[in-house]
Amino acid sequence: MLRHHAFGGTARAGVHNVGLVEGDRYCIIIPFIHISGHKTGVLAWLTAGGTMLPQAKFDPVEVMARVQAERITVLPG
């Protein structure tokens, strides 16, 4: 079982380690129901002050079109 403090610490460490900054735009491909999608997706971006752009299903052509159209600055992979 993870405590609230552990979730917050992981989110802050992720923001620091990746170098996320306020204003970054992140195409989140990892499902939110997965711990990684929750911590590196939702919590990290709320901590950094960035914009979350969820992608329901990975399709490389669609994702790359979104990168250009929505000025995505962070793409996992």
Side-chain angles (χ1 to χ4, degrees):
M1 180 178 292
L2 294 173
R3 296 177 186 251
H4 181 266
H5 182 74
F7 273 96
T10 300
R12 285 188 300 279
V15 168
H16 174 75
N17 291 338
V18 175
L20 305 177
V21 296
E22 186 175 346
D24 272 337
R25 300 173 59 77
Y26 179 33
C27 181
I28 302 175
I29 299 170
I30 303 166
F32 293 153
I33 61 168
H34 189 278
I35 192 71
S36 183
H38 180 69
K39 283 187 176 183
T40 63
V42 177
L43 291 179
W45 288 95
L46 290 174
T47 301
T51 300
M52 297 181 286
L53 301 159
Q55 179 72 25
K57 177 182 154 192
F58 180 70
D59 176 306
V61 174
E62 185 178 324
V63 169
M64 294 314 294
R66 284 189 77 191
V67 166
Q68 184 175 11
E70 300 191 42
R71 301 177 329 273
I72 291 171
T73 58
V74 180
L75 183 65

